[in-house]
Amino acid sequence: MHDLSGFFARFGWPQNRGRPPFCIGHRGASGHCVENTLAAFQRAAELGAEMWELDTQMTADQVVVVSHDDHLERVFRKDLRISQMTFAELRNEVPEVPTFEEVAALARETGCGLYVELKRSGTGVLCWRHLQEMEQRFACFGSFDLAQVRELRQLGCGYPLSVLIRSGDNPFALGDEAGADVLHLCWERASERPQDLVTEALLEKALAAGKEIVLWHEERPEVLEDIMKLPLLGICTDLPDLMRPHNGNGNGNGSQLRELRRVTSFDVARAAGVSRAAVSRAFTPDASVSDKTRQKVYEAAKELGYRVNYLARSLTNKRSDLVGLVAAGLDNPFRTLQLEQLARTLIARNYRPILLPTSKGADSATVIGQLLQYAVSGVIVTSDAPPSHICEECAAEGVPIVLINKGEDYPFVDRVLSDDRMAGYTAVEVLLEAGAKKLAVISGAAVSYSSRRRAEAFQARCAALGVEARLIPVASNDYWHGQQAAEELLDVGVDGVFAVNDYMACGVIDGLRQKGRMDYSIKIVGHDDIPQASWSSYDLTTFLQPCDLQAGKVVDLLASRISEPDSVARVEFTPVTLVSRRSA
């Protein structure tokens, strides 16, 4: 075990914070919450991080705040610069940006240390003075900017100082030049196995020079497993729970990864006698690998109990194979059919669907924002269309959105639409041919784009033919509102009805049956061809909306948008087919 007692005593750090390397929450638990916010730091503490890495900026009136960027566009979608605003203006526009003092207070409350990366020149002295005044010793100051580190050293700062070192730079030369106590190696992108660069010779030289080492932010379990064994002061990570899986309060040693993560792809490679790259290809669909090698890898994986951690792979690749399905109205049997086909098609194309149900009329931006935290490859929306700002955010993140049966036209957002106008036109012809003379359409047009299109097409066709057509509006296109609408149909003497979906049409039929009028003298047409439409109690004439064809077009658009994110927004149509039964 690496003895840090002398380092702790020298700088007044607590001696009872667990066994190093410390888990340093990178910008808090930024893999779970918005980076550098109080919520992210609180979450890091809950997940067992001993320290928090944070970045400093300064407002126009000299208030130190915590943010990686001066420009707020990337994180908060605000075309504003912290340096050009007073703190009052910043707090009004983006209240999520905390002051350094607020973060320091939360650290005192939770017992966590501060690993302060100095971005804006001049913030170091102000932060140092504040911590001194509060007698808050558990902290470290560092920067890529050697001048800022040297300034604190020359002013007699009694806190440990760190220099952040890019790949290719000489850590010892920079450490000596800055007068640093800690060498922070930012080598996460230096190679596929950056842990191999932290050699025994490098570690021995650092220890001999009296310098401690902190490593880059790391979220790959197989890399973490290796570097957590090294004699380090700390490791940064966006996901503290990867380092501290058995420890929620930071008081245990938390020094091992989850038991299920102990078998890594490197173990499989050694057992199979192949390279790690070959293991990766063996578990990647359509990757180039021989059948013999694939079989060796599979046998070794089975023997060792290895499973591919796709979420961990997504952290390395910055994109997972997850695709979010956002849906409302799950009580409607058609939605079940639609989601089943979407899920089956996604799985067949080597994606993994993740369902986020939402309520009717709810702002889908919230659940889509949650999906972005999981590096999803795309989002499919069958509920209400999301607001423009979340579509823009997804485009900026390179996450395609495909909308199904939605009217909103957004840049870089593709849509698949059913031929609702044809359904509305044809429904009129069917009812007239069945002998109906006084027609009505039942629709919650205000709550559904597709319902509105079907109802408008129905009314337009009736007007062109000189046929009376009544719109019976409902609050929701569901069974119960269809059942309630049956009484109004009887009151106004309608003998031909187009219900814009089968779910509601079934309610109409049961409502008429309760009134003793389900004798097929009132002709009824629905839409969707749900399984219940063919039941003998309904025997409903309807339009088949082909969920399999629809799902195929949706996933085609998704995959195409992933390959060509800047292509113009596209619209694909799917046909409808009349299914004739006894009701009309």
Side-chain angles (χ1 to χ4, degrees), residues 384-385 404-408 415-418 420-421 443-456 477 571 573:
D384 294 333
I404 303 178
N405 289 335
K406 305 299 168 222
E408 289 77 359
R415 293 181 291 153
V416 174
L417 304 178
S418 179
D420 294 317
R421 294 196 182 281
S443 171
V447 297
S448 169
Y449 170 75
S450 54
S451 296
R452 183 165 61 252
R453 280 169 52 91
R454 292 168 199 167
E456 288 172 350
N477 298 307
V571 179
F573 287 88

Side-chain angles (χ1 to χ4, degrees), residues 172 181 183 200-213:
F172 300 100
D181 308 291
L183 305 179
E200 186 173 343
L202 184 150
L203 293 168
E204 289 178 352
K205 187 172 181 179
L207 294 176
K211 299 187 186 300
E212 299 300 333
I213 291 180

Side-chain angles (χ1 to χ4, degrees), residues 455-572:
E456 288 172 350
F458 184 90
Q459 290 175 293
R461 185 59 177 157
C462 285
L465 296 175
V467 176
E468 180 182 356
R470 175 184 292 269
L471 171 64
I472 298 178
V474 291
S476 181
N477 298 307
D478 59 19
Y479 176 90
W480 306 109
H481 286 89
Q483 192 175 47
Q484 292 169 11
E487 186 170 354
E488 184 173 349
L489 295 176
L490 295 173
D491 290 343
V492 297
V494 168
D495 60 358
V497 179
F498 176 39
V500 295
N501 68 32
D502 289 352
Y503 190 30
M504 188 161 56
C506 290
V508 172
I509 291 173
D510 284 342
L512 292 173
R513 183 174 286 116
Q514 290 174 0
K515 300 291 183 180
R517 286 297 307 277
M518 195 50 222
D519 54 6
Y520 296 102
S521 60
I522 298 177
K523 307 302 180 183
I524 302 172
V525 175
H527 192 290
D528 294 337
D529 196 30
I530 62 176
Q532 291 82 352
S534 64
W535 293 0
S536 59
S537 57
Y538 297 115
D539 211 8
L540 178 66
T541 294
T542 184
F543 293 94
L544 169 65
Q545 188 176 173
C547 293
D548 54 348
L549 178 60
Q550 185 182 75
K553 287 183 177 292
V554 168
V555 179
D556 284 345
L557 287 172
L558 187 78
S560 175
R561 177 68 58 184
I562 291 171
S563 300
E564 303 175 36
D566 297 327
S567 58
V568 297
R570 296 156 297 181
V571 179
E572 295 278 354

Side-chain angles (χ1 to χ4, degrees), residues 378-456:
V379 179
I380 299 169
V381 180
T382 71
S383 62
D384 294 333
S388 59
H389 74 84
I390 196 68
C391 292
E392 292 167 359
E393 182 175 347
C394 286
E397 295 279 349
V399 178
I401 296 183
V402 180
L403 309 180
I404 303 178
N405 289 335
K406 305 299 168 222
E408 289 77 359
D409 186 7
Y410 298 136
F412 311 115
V413 175
D414 301 311
R415 293 181 291 153
V416 174
L417 304 178
S418 179
D419 196 348
D420 294 317
R421 294 196 182 281
M422 180 58 69
Y425 292 155
T426 306
V428 176
E429 308 289 346
V430 171
L431 291 171
L432 292 177
E433 289 176 8
K437 298 186 180 349
K438 192 172 182 181
L439 309 185
V441 56
I442 307 173
S443 171
V447 297
S448 169
Y449 170 75
S450 54
S451 296
R452 183 165 61 252
R453 280 169 52 91
R454 292 168 199 167
E456 288 172 350

Side-chain angles (χ1 to χ4, degrees), residues 221 224-225 228 242-243 245 255-259 261-262:
L224 270 173
E225 186 175 26
M228 285 177 66
L242 291 181
M243 285 185 67
S255 61
Q256 300 296 325
L257 293 172
R258 287 182 176 87
E259 200 68 29
R261 287 197 174 100
R262 300 225 176 159

Side-chain angles (χ1 to χ4, degrees), residues 109-120:
E109 179 183 331
T110 58
C112 292
L114 299 177
Y115 193 89
V116 184
E117 182 181 342
L118 305 174
K119 292 293 188 185
R120 174 75 181 276

Side-chain angles (χ1 to χ4, degrees), residues 314-429:
S314 75
L315 291 169
T316 302
N317 300 333
K318 303 303 181 185
R319 185 68 66 233
S320 71
D321 58 1
L322 297 175
V323 172
L325 295 176
V326 180
L330 299 183
D331 55 331
N332 186 340
F334 174 72
R335 189 69 74 212
T336 303
L337 293 174
Q338 186 182 57
L339 291 173
E340 180 182 6
Q341 284 297 334
L342 286 168
R344 288 180 180 277
T345 305
L346 286 167
I347 291 170
R349 297 283 290 274
N350 297 316
Y351 295 107
R352 300 294 177 263
I354 176 171
L355 175 63
L356 271 78
T358 184
S359 58
K360 295 177 182 177
D363 183 354
S364 56
T366 300
V367 292
I368 294 175
Q370 293 170 351
L371 285 169
L372 292 180
Q373 297 176 356
Y374 292 90
V376 292
S377 287
V379 179
I380 299 169
V381 180
T382 71
S383 62
D384 294 333
S388 59
H389 74 84
I390 196 68
C391 292
E392 292 167 359
E393 182 175 347
C394 286
E397 295 279 349
V399 178
I401 296 183
V402 180
L403 309 180
I404 303 178
N405 289 335
K406 305 299 168 222
E408 289 77 359
D409 186 7
Y410 298 136
F412 311 115
V413 175
D414 301 311
R415 293 181 291 153
V416 174
L417 304 178
S418 179
D419 196 348
D420 294 317
R421 294 196 182 281
M422 180 58 69
Y425 292 155
T426 306
V428 176
E429 308 289 346

